Amino acid sequence: MSLGTATHLAPFVQCASTLPAMPEVANTLIRSFSRDDLSLGEVAGLIGRDQVLAAKVLRLANSPRYSPSHSIASLKDAAATLGLRSLRDLTLAACMCSAFPSVIGFDRLAFWRSTLALAAYTQPLARAMGLDEDEAYLGGLVLRTGQILMLMTDPEHSVLAHYQASTVDSTIGVESRLFGCSHPEVTAALAHHWHFPASLVMALTAAVDPLATRPFSRMGAALRLASVITDCRELGVPVQDGLQLMQSALLEHLQLDLGWLEAHLPDHRLATAGVEALVH
């Protein structure tokens, strides 16, 4: 990171430091990524310690996103029905959404709809690239949260960036011009504040320009591509066309099979289902 970028990041880093610590449930779940002995009962027990979180998790578990065959009435039932990965993912989503204050001018529903989709798209990318799907999902959940800190710190330029970044994969460039830094870098500062794994903090920074980052971060590349896919789906641009147009050099470097990738991406409506339960 250049001295100039660090200077421009400073007010957003300060804003990140004012946010509360990440809930212990989330920290425990993040630390569990490398555990092979984590049980469904242990995860359900962790969630059950926080009644507000438990209620939100149950609302999410009953949403069309997971399409349960019956009404899920308890965390134990949610664990048995959804399985470990889905239960952990939706709990992390609930924790992240609850971690940020309400901000004037912030469309929470639209933001978290995009974020859920982005996180969902990271998983097939991670599978194709030989990366950890759980860490990729977490990275997708937080990648754009730097935009919230930017809005909290500099609402005027944040609104301007929102309106100027109207095409696929244009937000990072617009932010860099207006702020001297971009939301993945701000998110990386927040992730550091929350004691996320160092590898994920580095990947978030790398998402700004994966090919220019040394050492090359495959996770950073996956996050950037997931962001492009999210833009494509929201703007009605064919995914393969958008990826080839905006990130052709990165695709060439990674040698991704775009046909396989598109075939394994979840439906956008399914990827964003449950957002109402998440934000209310």
Side-chain angles (χ1 to χ4, degrees), residues 214-227:
R214 295 292 181 272
F216 180 71
S217 168
R218 291 178 69 81
M219 185 67 78
L223 293 175
R224 182 60 177 266
L225 294 177
S227 182

PDB file of all heavy atoms in Angstrom, residues 214-227:
ATOM      1  N   ARG A 214       1.325  -8.550  -5.063  1.00  0.00           N
ATOM      2  CA  ARG A 214       2.374  -9.542  -4.851  1.00  0.00           C
ATOM      3  C   ARG A 214       2.505  -9.836  -3.362  1.00  0.00           C
ATOM      4  O   ARG A 214       2.601  -8.915  -2.569  1.00  0.00           O
ATOM      5  CB  ARG A 214       3.721  -9.038  -5.395  1.00  0.00           C
ATOM      6  CG  ARG A 214       3.732  -8.853  -6.902  1.00  0.00           C
ATOM      7  CD  ARG A 214       3.634 -10.213  -7.628  1.00  0.00           C
ATOM      8  NE  ARG A 214       3.676 -10.046  -9.077  1.00  0.00           N
ATOM      9  CZ  ARG A 214       2.612  -9.834  -9.842  1.00  0.00           C
ATOM     10  NH1 ARG A 214       1.402  -9.784  -9.281  1.00  0.00           N
ATOM     11  NH2 ARG A 214       2.731  -9.690 -11.137  1.00  0.00           N
ATOM     12  N   PRO A 215       2.473 -11.121  -2.959  1.00  0.00           N
ATOM     13  CA  PRO A 215       2.250 -12.264  -3.841  1.00  0.00           C
ATOM     14  C   PRO A 215       0.810 -12.294  -4.339  1.00  0.00           C
ATOM     15  O   PRO A 215      -0.087 -11.742  -3.707  1.00  0.00           O
ATOM     16  CB  PRO A 215       2.560 -13.461  -2.938  1.00  0.00           C
ATOM     17  CG  PRO A 215       2.242 -12.973  -1.562  1.00  0.00           C
ATOM     18  CD  PRO A 215       2.644 -11.526  -1.545  1.00  0.00           C
ATOM     19  N   PHE A 216       0.615 -12.957  -5.476  1.00  0.00           N
ATOM     20  CA  PHE A 216      -0.715 -13.050  -6.054  1.00  0.00           C
ATOM     21  C   PHE A 216      -1.653 -13.763  -5.082  1.00  0.00           C
ATOM     22  O   PHE A 216      -1.315 -14.780  -4.489  1.00  0.00           O
ATOM     23  CB  PHE A 216      -0.655 -13.831  -7.367  1.00  0.00           C
ATOM     24  CG  PHE A 216      -1.989 -13.993  -8.044  1.00  0.00           C
ATOM     25  CD1 PHE A 216      -2.621 -12.913  -8.641  1.00  0.00           C
ATOM     26  CD2 PHE A 216      -2.626 -15.230  -8.076  1.00  0.00           C
ATOM     27  CE1 PHE A 216      -3.850 -13.052  -9.277  1.00  0.00           C
ATOM     28  CE2 PHE A 216      -3.853 -15.381  -8.706  1.00  0.00           C
ATOM     29  CZ  PHE A 216      -4.465 -14.293  -9.302  1.00  0.00           C
ATOM     30  N   SER A 217      -2.853 -13.200  -4.900  1.00  0.00           N
ATOM     31  CA  SER A 217      -3.842 -13.779  -3.994  1.00  0.00           C
ATOM     32  C   SER A 217      -4.993 -14.372  -4.800  1.00  0.00           C
ATOM     33  O   SER A 217      -5.783 -13.639  -5.405  1.00  0.00           O
ATOM     34  CB  SER A 217      -4.378 -12.707  -3.032  1.00  0.00           C
ATOM     35  OG  SER A 217      -5.522 -13.177  -2.327  1.00  0.00           O
ATOM     36  N   ARG A 218      -5.085 -15.690  -4.834  1.00  0.00           N
ATOM     37  CA  ARG A 218      -6.181 -16.335  -5.555  1.00  0.00           C
ATOM     38  C   ARG A 218      -7.525 -15.997  -4.899  1.00  0.00           C
ATOM     39  O   ARG A 218      -8.532 -15.845  -5.592  1.00  0.00           O
ATOM     40  CB  ARG A 218      -5.963 -17.851  -5.599  1.00  0.00           C
ATOM     41  CG  ARG A 218      -4.788 -18.255  -6.466  1.00  0.00           C
ATOM     42  CD  ARG A 218      -4.554 -19.751  -6.460  1.00  0.00           C
ATOM     43  NE  ARG A 218      -5.610 -20.488  -7.137  1.00  0.00           N
ATOM     44  CZ  ARG A 218      -5.699 -20.642  -8.457  1.00  0.00           C
ATOM     45  NH1 ARG A 218      -4.802 -20.100  -9.255  1.00  0.00           N
ATOM     46  NH2 ARG A 218      -6.679 -21.354  -8.987  1.00  0.00           N
ATOM     47  N   MET A 219      -7.529 -15.857  -3.573  1.00  0.00           N
ATOM     48  CA  MET A 219      -8.761 -15.474  -2.894  1.00  0.00           C
ATOM     49  C   MET A 219      -9.165 -14.053  -3.279  1.00  0.00           C
ATOM     50  O   MET A 219     -10.354 -13.767  -3.495  1.00  0.00           O
ATOM     51  CB  MET A 219      -8.610 -15.597  -1.382  1.00  0.00           C
ATOM     52  CG  MET A 219      -9.883 -15.328  -0.598  1.00  0.00           C
ATOM     53  SD  MET A 219     -11.165 -16.580  -0.879  1.00  0.00           S
ATOM     54  CE  MET A 219     -10.527 -17.919   0.164  1.00  0.00           C
ATOM     55  N   GLY A 220      -8.194 -13.153  -3.356  1.00  0.00           N
ATOM     56  CA  GLY A 220      -8.494 -11.795  -3.794  1.00  0.00           C
ATOM     57  C   GLY A 220      -9.072 -11.773  -5.192  1.00  0.00           C
ATOM     58  O   GLY A 220     -10.013 -11.023  -5.490  1.00  0.00           O
ATOM     59  N   ALA A 221      -8.537 -12.623  -6.068  1.00  0.00           N
ATOM     60  CA  ALA A 221      -9.057 -12.731  -7.426  1.00  0.00           C
ATOM     61  C   ALA A 221     -10.486 -13.257  -7.424  1.00  0.00           C
ATOM     62  O   ALA A 221     -11.356 -12.763  -8.159  1.00  0.00           O
ATOM     63  CB  ALA A 221      -8.156 -13.647  -8.251  1.00  0.00           C
ATOM     64  N   ALA A 222     -10.750 -14.264  -6.591  1.00  0.00           N
ATOM     65  CA  ALA A 222     -12.102 -14.829  -6.506  1.00  0.00           C
ATOM     66  C   ALA A 222     -13.102 -13.779  -6.038  1.00  0.00           C
ATOM     67  O   ALA A 222     -14.227 -13.691  -6.556  1.00  0.00           O
ATOM     68  CB  ALA A 222     -12.108 -16.031  -5.565  1.00  0.00           C
ATOM     69  N   LEU A 223     -12.712 -12.971  -5.065  1.00  0.00           N
ATOM     70  CA  LEU A 223     -13.610 -11.935  -4.560  1.00  0.00           C
ATOM     71  C   LEU A 223     -13.913 -10.896  -5.625  1.00  0.00           C
ATOM     72  O   LEU A 223     -15.059 -10.449  -5.777  1.00  0.00           O
ATOM     73  CB  LEU A 223     -13.000 -11.275  -3.318  1.00  0.00           C
ATOM     74  CG  LEU A 223     -12.872 -12.169  -2.087  1.00  0.00           C
ATOM     75  CD1 LEU A 223     -12.135 -11.432  -0.971  1.00  0.00           C
ATOM     76  CD2 LEU A 223     -14.234 -12.635  -1.592  1.00  0.00           C
ATOM     77  N   ARG A 224     -12.895 -10.498  -6.390  1.00  0.00           N
ATOM     78  CA  ARG A 224     -13.133  -9.507  -7.448  1.00  0.00           C
ATOM     79  C   ARG A 224     -14.049 -10.080  -8.518  1.00  0.00           C
ATOM     80  O   ARG A 224     -14.983  -9.413  -8.996  1.00  0.00           O
ATOM     81  CB  ARG A 224     -11.807  -9.066  -8.065  1.00  0.00           C
ATOM     82  CG  ARG A 224     -11.936  -7.979  -9.153  1.00  0.00           C
ATOM     83  CD  ARG A 224     -12.596  -6.697  -8.583  1.00  0.00           C
ATOM     84  NE  ARG A 224     -12.668  -5.639  -9.585  1.00  0.00           N
ATOM     85  CZ  ARG A 224     -11.767  -4.680  -9.747  1.00  0.00           C
ATOM     86  NH1 ARG A 224     -10.696  -4.653  -8.961  1.00  0.00           N
ATOM     87  NH2 ARG A 224     -11.913  -3.751 -10.655  1.00  0.00           N
ATOM     88  N   LEU A 225     -13.833 -11.319  -8.907  1.00  0.00           N
ATOM     89  CA  LEU A 225     -14.679 -11.935  -9.924  1.00  0.00           C
ATOM     90  C   LEU A 225     -16.116 -12.104  -9.428  1.00  0.00           C
ATOM     91  O   LEU A 225     -17.071 -11.913 -10.186  1.00  0.00           O
ATOM     92  CB  LEU A 225     -14.098 -13.277 -10.352  1.00  0.00           C
ATOM     93  CG  LEU A 225     -12.753 -13.216 -11.094  1.00  0.00           C
ATOM     94  CD1 LEU A 225     -12.255 -14.623 -11.408  1.00  0.00           C
ATOM     95  CD2 LEU A 225     -12.856 -12.384 -12.367  1.00  0.00           C
ATOM     96  N   ALA A 226     -16.279 -12.459  -8.152  1.00  0.00           N
ATOM     97  CA  ALA A 226     -17.627 -12.581  -7.588  1.00  0.00           C
ATOM     98  C   ALA A 226     -18.343 -11.237  -7.606  1.00  0.00           C
ATOM     99  O   ALA A 226     -19.561 -11.167  -7.844  1.00  0.00           O
ATOM    100  CB  ALA A 226     -17.553 -13.125  -6.163  1.00  0.00           C
ATOM    101  N   SER A 227     -17.598 -10.170  -7.382  1.00  0.00           N
ATOM    102  CA  SER A 227     -18.189  -8.833  -7.433  1.00  0.00           C
ATOM    103  C   SER A 227     -18.638  -8.493  -8.854  1.00  0.00           C
ATOM    104  O   SER A 227     -19.719  -7.923  -9.065  1.00  0.00           O
ATOM    105  CB  SER A 227     -17.175  -7.797  -6.933  1.00  0.00           C
ATOM    106  OG  SER A 227     -17.738  -6.501  -6.920  1.00  0.00           O
TER     107      SER A 227
END
